[in-house]
């Protein structure tokens, strides 16, 4: 074992020698996440704790050495928040991957941070419950979801990760362990540390356990796909669909370019005639769920009629297999974009009624910079995903900065669900008002006075 | 105008002389909220700002003088968080009572902190929308609701205040104004200051504007009332009702003593035969809502059958007027308890399946201290409201401390929705782990280094 100033031995004493990796033993996976624009970095060591007590002891060692600590779930993040620092330590939660409890009386799950969404979905299905957050990557870990406040397609009905996390166990950089919240949907007992840690991208504390809200699993689902002549019409249809009270499970728009790309990549033929495709600028995808088949049929008929009246070129009720494959293709959009050579991705969030204006501004900005952007988004939530094609980093910086400024001008934020991480930090620091940044820095200081937790991410 | 070290004149310059009250001009209302166990206190001055800029200027004056500042909405709080400090300043938001916007495209309302729930309900009804938080006091202000993270009866379906607040404008004790969030249901762009300020009881910042989520207003409601032989049976029925997926709007239990008291106080006869009442220990109140009358009928029939099978002594579908009066009586429970001479009230929250165990422990504790407790609660949320009858403050302290310890032992928290305020501060400080308290104090310090905001509330 390679020695790094005696640290390796100390870590090995805590977690066992085979759970500390250094030098050649560090697999490539530990050097990056899925961010497109941040270079991989080999850390000084990777440590794989098995318990909160071990995490605590590891953090005490890191604090004593002033060693940067980067937490890691399954590495599916898109913003570089899991890419280590030079000379730093990766704390990988891969061994803390147990579902500790599925509580059917209180409708909660208690999980370790390394549990994946797929794993939780399987376990909850067995008892007729489900965890609703669906960010399109079922290999993502719950710890990572908590760190980025993951959203996804079903947020329009069930809310984001923030809505589901009822309590945490977390280790402070000092090694102190705190417990927040509980199996409780109401609380008014001091500052909500649960909510503060959610979305903090591993910069405040390391989450070692999460208590999550579960819901009854609705047995019936249906999917409606409506091509529209313009994104404007799609955006205008969204509040109307929501106002009916049908409570859509998914409400997504997909632009014509992206629909062509993802269906091509997945070899999926939805049977839409060429002349319809030709007059389509954007598709609205509506998924509905219900506990009763007849109610679902009623809801589908109502939405289909409504979309026709709102100007859809046509309305398709997709059969189960086609619907599943389309959602799958939509989930894999990132990989399609990556394969096509996208240089970066954007997940700006704006008030949902501002989507058309934002997209128009984005198109104008891209054209001015001789770049190309295309995408899709969570239309019900105003969360726009764009792939950005522009190889020159300087041009891309100006383009992205203008895109983010456009979103902020419309009342939005830089990131709706991927997080700031390393990829958007420059923009975040440049575009956030200094008073707010200073307050966030004081909060960071309150948790992490020596700044060992995920330095380089979010704040400087 | 009485002078207080030159402060009155400075304040008058900011808000106008008629918006600064001192001495005899301070109405009794400003000296207290509705807490049963905290004495009223006359402040040095009351100031009534009209804008965030005025709030900012007022806080700069207070900070320069080191003058304690107590924010005040409509004074309906139950924990003493709006009771001023000796020599302190009350900042009353009564003039900042405008609904700035009802946005039907994005389904949000933007309100000033002095807007009441009744006012917002009326304005949203006009456009077929509604704000779901329903804490049983429609005269409460939204600013106060944000400060305590108000919950109430409908939280089981729609969540608490925390779920609905999408953004804030808030003034820091330094006078700096920040804006957080926006008309956005997704965000992953830095620490969530919105969520941190919610529930902080006016100790971190003064909220001057809130952006709130609205929902389609369901046109049909029905109410089912089921008497049960024991609280145990009621609590066991709750997860079963939730698991159906009917999504109850209200899921309350009311113990037999409390039902007798509130129906008597409101002169309400529900037509329940004496022999049923005699064999009833607790009632389960289920309200359902739907966008379609036939679906509502189906849901009511399903729940009624289910409750019968789960051991209800009988099941009543209450006609509209009776249902409204019962909910009204339940809302006025606090006033009934006060009129009956209750010495304090408790709003412990526990995992909902732990309600029977908590109530059994509460009964045992009360009997051991020769005291009496009775109540009702949000059964779907595990939020238990008890009136405590024990006039001796020392005995009551021991009784309450044991009650809170029992709740915490079951995985709960001291307050589910009223807040810690002044009434529960001693218990909060004694029963919260020191690491968590120290972290909360550092967070307080990050916002309010000189400690002028609501001192004496929550933390010392």
């Amino acid at each position: 074992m390679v020695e790094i100033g005696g640290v390796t031995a100390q870590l090995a004493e805590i977690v066992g020698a085979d759970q500390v990796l250094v030098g050649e033993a560090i697999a490539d996976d530990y050097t990056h996440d899925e961010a497109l624009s941040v270079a991989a970095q080999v850390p000084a060591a990777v440590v794989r704790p098995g318990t909160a007590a071990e995490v605590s002891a590891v953090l005490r060692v890191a604090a004593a050495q002033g060693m940067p600590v980067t937490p890691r779930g399954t590495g599916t993040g898109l913003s570089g928040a899991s890419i280590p620092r030079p000379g730093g330590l990766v704390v990988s939660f891969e061994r803390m991957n147990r579902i500790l409890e599925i509580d059917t009386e209180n409708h909660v799950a208690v999980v370790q941070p390394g549990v994946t969404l797929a794993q939780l979905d399987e376990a909850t299905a067995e008892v007729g419950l489900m965890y609703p957050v669906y960010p399109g990557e079922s290999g993502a870990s719950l710890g990572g979801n908590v760190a980025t406040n993951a959203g996804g397609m079903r947020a329009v009905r069930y809310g984001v990760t923030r809505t589901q996390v009822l309590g945490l166990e977390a280790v402070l950089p000092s090694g102190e362990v705190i417990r927040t919240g509980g199996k409780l949907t109401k609380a008014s007992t001091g500052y909500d540390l649960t909510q503060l840690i959610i979305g903090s991208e591993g910069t405040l504390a390391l989450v070692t356990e999460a208590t999550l809200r579960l819901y009854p699993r609705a047995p019936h689902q249906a999917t409606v796909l409506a091509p529209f002549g313009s994104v404007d019409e799609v955006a205008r249809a969204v509040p109307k669909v929501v106002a009916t009270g049908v409570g859509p499970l998914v409400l997504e728009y997909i632009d014509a370019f992206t629909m062509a790309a993802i269906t091509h990549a997945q070899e999926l033929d939805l049977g839409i005639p060429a002349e319809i495709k030709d007059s389509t600028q954007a598709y609205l995808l509506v998924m509905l769920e219900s506990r009763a088949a007849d109610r679902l049929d009623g809801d589908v008929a109502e939405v289909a009629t409504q979309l026709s009246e709102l100007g859809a070129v046509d309305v398709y009720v997709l059969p189960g297999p086609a619907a599943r494959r389309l959602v799958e293709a939509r989930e894999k959009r990132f990989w399609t974009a990556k394969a096509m050579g996208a240089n970066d991705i954007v997940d700006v969030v704006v008030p949902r009624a501002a989507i058309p204006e934002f997209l128009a501004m984005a198109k104008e900005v891209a054209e001015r910079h001789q770049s190309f952007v295309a995408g899709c988004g969570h239309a019900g939530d105003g969360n726009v995903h764009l792939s950005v094609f522009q190889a020159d980093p300087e041009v891309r910086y100006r383009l992205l900065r203008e895109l983010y400024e456009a979103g902020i001008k419309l009342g939005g934020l830089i990131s709706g669900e991927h997080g700031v991480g390393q990829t958007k930090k420059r923009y975040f620091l440049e575009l956030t008002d200094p008073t707010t940044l200073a307050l966030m820095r004081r909060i960071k200081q309150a948790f992490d006075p020596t700044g060992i937790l995920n330095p380089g991410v979010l704040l400087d």
Side-chain angles (χ1 to χ4, degrees), chain A:
Chain A
M1 191 179 293
V2 182
E3 260 313 327
I4 321 155
V7 173
T8 319
Q10 289 180 54
L11 295 174
E13 197 157 314
I14 295 163
V15 296
D18 49 344
Q19 304 306 341
V20 184
L21 312 174
V22 291
E24 292 299 310
I26 297 174
D28 175 65
D29 247 15
Y30 293 115
T31 67
H32 65 87
D33 59 13
E34 299 300 341
L36 291 177
S37 57
V38 186
Q41 171 68 51
V42 180
V46 175
V47 60
R48 300 185 293 209
T51 64
E54 289 181 8
V55 173
S56 165
V58 165
L59 285 185
R60 284 180 206 271
V61 169
Q65 305 282 335
M67 204 174 180
V69 172
T70 303
R72 181 183 182 83
T74 53
T76 61
L78 296 166
S79 302
S82 287
I83 299 179
R85 305 305 291 174
L89 188 63
V90 167
V91 175
S92 168
F93 286 102
E94 64 203 273
R95 288 173 64 220
M96 294 180 69
N97 64 350
R98 281 183 307 131
I99 297 172
L100 301 174
E101 189 185 2
I102 306 270
D103 175 342
T104 55
E105 293 289 295
N106 292 304
H107 283 185
V108 301
V110 182
V111 303
Q112 291 189 317
V115 168
T116 66
L117 288 167
Q119 202 182 333
L120 184 58
D121 190 58
E122 199 181 316
T124 52
E126 284 171 19
V127 291
L129 296 173
M130 64 109 181
Y131 178 70
V133 178
Y134 195 72
E137 172 51 71
S138 61
S141 71
L142 268 306
N145 272 217
V146 170
T148 56
N149 186 27
M153 293 197 209
R154 295 177 183 165
V156 68
R157 181 165 172 89
Y158 289 99
V160 295
T161 299
R162 187 175 295 296
T163 323
Q164 323 306 340
V165 180
L166 305 178
L168 296 172
E169 179 189 72
V171 185
L172 303 181
S174 60
E176 294 167 304
V177 181
I178 59 170
R179 294 195 73 91
T180 70
K183 294 177 174 178
L184 310 165
T185 52
K186 283 183 173 169
S188 188
T189 310
Y191 305 142
D192 198 320
L193 302 174
T194 311
Q195 292 294 329
L196 182 54
I197 292 170
I198 296 168
S200 66
E201 305 193 49
T203 65
L204 297 182
L206 299 193
V207 170
T208 47
E209 188 186 299
T211 300
L212 307 171
R213 195 168 179 176
L214 303 176
Y215 298 80
R217 193 174 280 253
H220 306 283
Q221 287 191 356
T223 304
V224 177
L225 182 69
F228 279 87
S230 73
V231 180
D232 251 76
E233 286 172 292
V234 170
R236 275 203 298 272
V238 165
K240 304 276 196 305
V241 174
V242 174
T244 58
V246 294
L249 175 64
V250 164
L251 202 51
E252 298 277 307
Y253 86 89
I254 306 172
D255 73 21
F257 174 86
T258 301
M259 180 64 105
I262 65 174
T263 52
H264 178 76
Q266 299 296 311
E267 296 175 2
L268 170 61
D269 182 3
L270 294 170
I272 301 171
E275 66 271 23
I276 302 272
K277 283 185 188 169
D278 289 347
S279 54
T280 296
Q281 287 277 334
Y283 295 81
L284 182 64
L285 176 69
V286 186
M287 289 183 69
L288 300 167
E289 63 168 21
S290 179
R291 64 195 195 90
D294 58 331
R295 293 185 186 189
L296 183 64
D297 292 345
D299 289 348
V300 167
E302 182 175 344
V303 168
T305 306
Q306 188 185 37
L307 294 178
S308 274
E309 289 169 6
L310 290 166
V313 183
D314 206 342
V315 178
Y316 305 93
V317 179
L318 297 185
R324 270 191 296 281
R325 290 198 59 205
L326 177 59
V327 169
E328 209 173 56
R330 162 65 186 85
E331 281 174 20
K332 293 196 169 28
R333 187 198 73 89
F334 168 71
W335 302 104
T336 307
K338 189 175 175 180
M340 293 174 77
N343 303 100
D344 214 339
I345 54 167
V346 162
D347 72 308
V348 167
V349 61
V350 294
R352 68 181 177 215
I355 286 181
E357 202 175 342
F358 176 72
L359 290 177
M361 289 163 92
K363 192 167 173 235
E364 187 276 318
V365 169
E367 282 169 3
R368 189 152 35 75
H369 291 289
Q370 294 165 317
S371 310
F372 179 68
V373 298
C376 52
H378 311 300
D381 306 316
N383 191 192
V384 176
H385 290 285
L386 294 175
S387 301
V388 177
F389 296 83
Q390 173 52 260
D392 183 312
E394 272 315 302
V395 178
R396 197 166 69 236
Y397 160 71
R398 291 198 298 276
L399 159 67
L400 283 173
R401 186 175 154 128
E402 287 176 37
L403 269 187
Y404 291 133
E405 283 175 316
I408 291 167
K409 197 174 161 191
L410 293 169
L413 291 170
I414 290 171
S415 173
E417 54 188 22
H418 295 168
V420 170
Q422 297 189 49
T423 57
K424 308 185 193 83
K425 186 177 68 172
R426 179 174 176 186
Y427 310 98
F428 174 67
L429 295 177
E430 287 175 6
L431 299 175
T432 304
D433 100 274
T435 302
T436 300
L437 277 182
L439 179 58
M440 288 187 185
R441 288 201 172 97
R442 294 197 299 273
I443 292 169
K444 164 77 173 172
Q445 180 80 14
F447 279 80
D448 184 18
T450 59
I452 60 164
L453 273 197
N454 230 359
V457 166
L458 191 61
L459 300 168
D460 272 328

